Amino acid sequence: MELEEEKKKEHIKDVRRSPLGAFDVEAELKKLPAKPGVYLMHDARDEIIYVGKAVSLKNRVRQYFQSSRNKTAKIEQMVSRIARFEYIITDSELEALVLECNLIKEHRPRYNTMLKDDKTYPYIKATVYEDFPRILFSREMKKDKSKYFGPYTSAGAVKDTIDLIHKLYQIRTCSRALPKDIGKERPCLNYHIKQCAAPCQGYISREEYWSSFQKALDFLNGNYSGLMKELEDKMMAASDAMDFEKAIEYRELLSSVKQVAQKQKITSSGLEDRDIIAMAKENQDAVVQVFFVREGRLIGRDHFHINTAVAENESQILTSFVKQFYAGTPFVPRELFVQYPLEEDEVIGQWLTAKRGQKVRIISPKKGEKERLVELAAKNARMVLDQDKEKIKREELRTIGAMNQVGEWLNIRGIRRIEAFDISNISGFESVGSMIVYEDGKPKRSDYRKFRIKSVQGPNDYASMEEVLTRRFAHGLEEEEKLKEKGVDVSIGSFTRFPDLIMMDGGRGQVNIALDVLEKLGLTIPVCGMVKDDNHRTRGLYFHNVEIPIDKHSEGFRLITRIQDEAHRFAIEYHRSLRSKAQVHSVLDEIPGIGPARRKALMKQFKSQEAIREATVEELERTPQMNRLAARQVYDFFHGKKE
């Protein structure tokens, strides 16, 4: 059951928030209602660090702040970072579960047990409601009267299967409205290569087409034996007739069908849809393995890396996995076989039943074939974890470890988000700025921003950088204020997430520009410069008026280099895209009466925009392509108007 945005408003009864500075934990704990809902924990930077649900908010939230309660070191660490909390009341525990899943997916709090993989699974879609139905690849499962097969774990395998169906049964792929459009256009290439029977030309009747389509559905349902016997007979007949080319064609089709059949082995005599879920854990890392069984056939398997955060045991990890995984996938099977009993199995069962529209059973089998299937999934999870252990460690050293190393050099704890800025221009024309973001040592491209310089003329990188920084942080403060006025969580804004560290592509000058902007806006954010040597390579960090040398063989150095290169790349690509759209577009394009020919003539005559700005009306008029009126318009634009 998914809550629509407008539906959320009906179910949410109250949202309790207080300004960060004025938050009194003890006073707010006394106000907690004994009702179901969701609670959100914020740190000192107002970042959401944990989202949970409760049958009784009063009882659940208070437990975090009770010293008598036995808490693990991980939970103690999280509680020590809580600066305030907020809560949302719902009508039921089920609604709280749905809201919790949505909020975790949206905010990805650092102390929630999180899926590291954000995967979507492909389906095969059969448009059975059409007069001449099609078989298509789909990334989502809609309520559109189509029949869906899957989900499958391999997009490549799905495409191969669909291609095979077109070769075997000549099902159309076009989107023509049939039978209305029959005969209106010529048949497509698929007809000529014998992968479509051309119903668009009336070459096949509706009854014959449906007969082929039904065979295709039987194939998707796993009925291969009749088809393989038919292809084998045709291959032998073609061979006997010495039509070896045809025999080879049937042999290749038969081989393809056998490959598909081999991938979909029978795992159960009962033709149920079920997912088999098991895990392996080591320290803070875990791998969950899922076997996908559809109509009794194993159609695929997949594994998911998980950061266990404050989860205390395997049952909690699997519970978090099930909630996050099925919140993001449209298909819910009739049965879940889980390695450990889920903590909230009753309410999760209700939620999955509502999503599927039929009763969903959650089983933790203890013996027999079902238990062996779960054990097999667990062995696969352990194998993946063992294989990926070193890879995970290397990746963490390259990302989070590198961030921590930079923090140690600068004596700053807890750096999670870095923003870096760069300016790109050619002779001051079409200056642009870039902002790139790294979170936990990885680029967060959804937060990248581009800035077209508006207030600066000419190649003035300092002034351009001042404009970019002012616009970025002023916009963030304005957006934050508007969200607060509406009583909305400020973290949902596109500019309201401020960095833990700002990195400037330069030394003292760039750093001082950033510090001046932050001071004017009343912000306190550490700023360091990435200082380069004579060969334009990073040699150190400029911080607090001191150049800090860094180990050039360290992961921190490699991270800084990646950030510097990425900021430069992003700015240059944006600048290049603007140049390709309009050959060095400049403010000259904004002057009435100055078209491409006159702009080109002015640039050829004066060489730079600054020279044009300083020219007299007479000098401008003497330029080829210019007249008195055009010269006066250029002069007035630069001298008589304020941009």
Side-chain angles (χ1 to χ4, degrees):
M1 180 180 71
E2 297 288 347
L3 286 178
E4 307 290 345
E5 286 300 319
E6 62 271 11
K7 207 170 180 182
K8 285 182 185 176
K9 295 174 184 176
E10 296 174 13
H11 294 287
I12 295 170
K13 298 303 180 186
D14 181 36
V15 179
R16 174 68 62 182
R17 291 189 178 88
S18 294
L20 189 58
F23 196 85
D24 184 337
V25 172
E26 288 301 323
E28 293 298 328
L29 286 173
K30 293 175 182 176
K31 299 175 186 177
L32 285 166
K35 294 181 179 179
V38 173
Y39 54 92
L40 300 89
M41 303 298 193
H42 293 250
D43 65 8
R45 292 193 294 265
D46 213 25
E47 179 183 343
I48 295 173
I49 60 173
Y50 188 75
V51 174
K53 77 162 188 65
V55 180
S56 170
L57 287 165
K58 182 176 183 178
N59 296 337
R60 185 72 185 98
V61 177
R62 289 178 69 88
Q63 288 176 346
Y64 288 101
F65 301 94
Q66 291 174 351
S67 57
S68 60
R69 182 171 181 260
N70 293 323
K71 295 191 285 283
T72 65
K74 294 176 186 177
I75 293 179
E76 288 280 10
Q77 184 187 53
M78 182 194 77
V79 173
S80 70
R81 292 176 178 265
I82 296 172
R84 74 176 180 95
F85 60 81
E86 58 182 303
Y87 56 85
I88 303 171
I89 298 172
T90 58
D91 279 336
S92 67
E93 186 184 2
L94 180 57
E95 286 169 11
L97 173 68
V98 175
L99 186 56
E100 178 198 29
C101 292
N102 291 336
L103 290 172
I104 289 174
K105 187 175 182 180
E106 180 181 351
H107 297 290
R108 301 190 67 82
R110 68 182 302 179
Y111 284 104
N112 279 93
T113 296
M114 294 299 303
L115 274 173
K116 294 182 181 179
D117 313 270
D118 189 13
K119 303 177 182 178
T120 59
Y121 293 96
Y123 296 82
I124 294 177
K125 174 180 177 179
T127 59
V128 293
Y129 57 89
E130 294 180 321
D131 287 323
F132 292 89
R134 296 166 292 161
I135 290 176
L136 308 169
F137 179 95
S138 178
R139 276 285 180 188
E140 51 187 343
M141 190 175 178
K142 299 179 179 177
K143 295 181 179 179
D144 57 1
K145 300 180 183 178
S146 296
K147 182 177 177 61
Y148 287 86
F149 297 86
Y152 299 92
T153 54
S154 169
V158 169
K159 290 173 182 176
D160 290 344
T161 300
I162 293 173
D163 287 344
L164 178 59
I165 286 171
H166 291 150
K167 291 176 184 176
L168 290 169
Y169 304 108
Q170 299 188 20
I171 304 299
R172 74 184 182 107
T173 60
C174 67
S175 57
R176 296 176 187 177
L178 304 181
K180 185 177 71 173
D181 290 343
I182 287 179
K184 287 187 178 180
E185 296 181 41
R186 290 182 297 175
C188 66
L189 178 63
N190 283 349
Y191 167 72
H192 297 290
I193 62 175
K194 298 180 181 179
Q195 290 192 20
C196 178
C200 60
Q201 301 300 307
Y203 293 167
I204 184 172
S205 69
R206 184 177 182 278
E207 291 71 23
E208 289 175 306
Y209 186 92
W210 264 94
S211 176
S212 295
F213 181 73
Q214 190 58 56
K215 289 179 181 177
L217 293 184
D218 290 341
F219 176 84
L220 289 172
N221 280 317
N223 300 325
Y224 309 118
S225 54
L227 174 62
M228 287 194 286
K229 179 71 168 64
E230 181 184 342
L231 288 173
E232 196 168 338
D233 290 345
K234 287 182 177 180
M235 180 182 69
M236 297 306 296
S239 179
D240 291 342
M242 295 192 174
D243 188 351
F244 299 117
E245 188 175 333
K246 201 72 175 174
I248 290 172
E249 183 181 327
Y250 286 129
R251 185 189 68 187
E252 289 177 350
L253 286 174
L254 180 61
S255 175
S256 297
V257 173
K258 285 180 178 178
Q259 286 180 5
V260 172
Q262 182 66 22
K263 290 177 183 176
Q264 298 188 341
K265 297 176 182 177
I266 297 291
T267 60
S268 171
S269 55
L271 300 180
E272 290 287 353
D273 293 338
R274 65 169 60 101
D275 288 349
I276 301 161
I277 305 169
M279 61 165 286
K281 178 178 179 292
E282 188 166 309
N283 300 323
Q284 280 198 315
D285 292 311
V287 168
V288 175
Q289 181 86 31
V290 184
F291 288 169
F292 302 99
V293 178
R294 301 294 177 261
E295 297 185 354
R297 296 183 311 281
L298 176 64
I299 66 167
R301 64 181 182 177
D302 211 344
H303 65 270
F304 302 83
H305 288 282
I306 287 180
N307 186 331
T308 59
V310 296
E312 296 178 5
N313 54 49
E314 287 81 358
S315 180
Q316 288 181 344
I317 294 170
L318 280 188
T319 300
S320 295
F321 170 80
V322 167
K323 290 193 289 187
Q324 289 180 57
F325 180 71
Y326 292 104
T329 181
F331 183 84
V332 178
R334 289 199 59 163
E335 292 181 339
L336 301 186
F337 288 178
V338 293
Q339 185 181 12
Y340 303 100
L342 303 185
E343 285 199 332
E344 305 162 6
D345 57 348
E346 188 175 336
V347 68
I348 290 174
Q350 293 174 16
W351 170 54
L352 295 177
T353 295
K355 283 198 74 172
R356 179 179 171 86
Q358 289 178 299
K359 176 69 175 176
V360 174
R361 297 197 305 155
I362 302 174
I363 303 166
S364 179
K366 302 301 179 187
K367 60 181 180 179
E369 180 191 357
K370 296 177 180 179
E371 194 271 337
R372 286 194 294 274
L373 288 171
V374 172
E375 186 179 341
L376 180 62
K379 286 180 180 177
N380 277 264
R382 170 52 61 183
M383 180 183 68
V384 172
L385 184 60
D386 290 342
Q387 289 174 346
D388 291 355
K389 199 182 334 182
E390 289 303 316
K391 179 182 173 183
I392 291 169
K393 285 181 180 177
R394 287 195 304 270
E395 179 66 12
E396 286 193 350
L397 188 65
R398 197 181 76 91
T399 54
I400 296 173
M403 293 282 272
N404 292 336
Q405 196 168 39
V406 172
E408 288 172 9
W409 292 336
L410 303 177
N411 198 24
I412 301 172
R413 292 186 61 190
I415 296 178
R416 289 199 65 203
R417 181 182 174 98
I418 291 176
E419 290 181 5
F421 298 83
D422 194 18
I423 300 294
S424 179
N425 65 67
I426 294 180
S427 300
F429 282 87
E430 199 59 82
S431 292
V432 299
S434 71
M435 177 186 106
I436 63 114
V437 178
Y438 268 61
E439 280 195 1
D440 293 329
K442 298 177 183 178
K444 190 178 182 183
R445 292 186 173 83
S446 60
D447 282 9
Y448 284 17
R449 293 293 182 270
K450 303 169 183 174
F451 299 87
R452 208 163 176 170
I453 305 302
K454 299 176 180 178
S455 63
V456 181
Q457 301 301 327
N460 189 334
D461 284 358
Y462 284 172
S464 298
M465 185 61 75
E466 183 179 11
E467 179 188 325
V468 168
L469 292 167
T470 302
R471 285 167 59 186
R472 183 267 178 269
F473 290 105
H475 189 160
L477 291 170
E478 290 168 10
E479 191 175 23
E480 184 179 277
E481 192 61 35
K482 288 177 182 176
L483 292 172
K484 283 181 178 178
E485 288 174 2
K486 295 178 181 178
V488 178
D489 184 1
V490 296
S491 64
I492 68 171
S494 58
F495 272 84
T496 53
R497 282 289 310 279
F498 287 170
D500 304 312
L501 176 67
I502 296 171
M503 282 191 162
M504 307 301 297
D505 188 29
R508 183 195 300 264
Q510 293 279 17
V511 170
N512 288 338
I513 287 290
L515 291 172
D516 287 344
V517 169
L518 295 173
E519 185 179 2
K520 289 174 185 175
L521 296 173
L523 294 171
T524 304
I525 301 172
V527 182
C528 74
M530 297 177 282
V531 185
K532 304 184 187 75
D533 59 21
D534 294 337
N535 296 317
H536 208 70
R537 291 178 300 205
T538 305
R539 72 167 188 241
L541 293 175
Y542 182 82
F543 188 61
H544 287 335
N545 297 317
V546 176
E547 184 176 320
I548 301 170
I550 55 180
D551 179 3
K552 293 185 179 180
H553 301 288
S554 65
E555 290 295 345
F557 173 78
R558 295 186 185 98
L559 174 64
I560 292 167
T561 303
R562 289 197 297 272
I563 291 173
Q564 198 168 35
D565 291 345
E566 181 71 351
H568 195 52
R569 177 201 66 78
F570 192 55
I572 287 175
E573 282 190 2
Y574 180 40
H575 194 257
R576 188 181 293 133
S577 71
L578 295 178
R579 294 204 313 272
S580 66
K581 290 177 184 175
Q583 303 291 319
V584 193
H585 176 84
S586 72
V587 292
L588 297 179
D589 294 296
E590 300 172 19
I591 305 174
I594 303 301
R598 282 176 172 165
R599 184 179 72 239
K600 186 176 180 180
L602 285 168
M603 286 302 301
K604 188 175 181 180
Q605 181 80 4
F606 293 97
K607 307 302 181 187
S608 75
Q609 188 174 293
E610 287 301 307
I612 297 171
R613 179 190 290 272
E614 294 170 3
T616 65
V617 175
E618 290 72 21
E619 288 171 336
L620 292 167
E621 187 181 357
R622 287 197 292 270
T623 304
Q625 304 285 340
M626 296 290 287
N627 56 31
R628 183 75 179 179
L629 177 60
R632 172 56 65 182
Q633 285 175 317
V634 173
Y635 186 86
D636 287 347
F637 179 83
F638 284 113
H639 299 276
K641 296 181 181 180
K642 290 185 179 179
E643 296 180 346

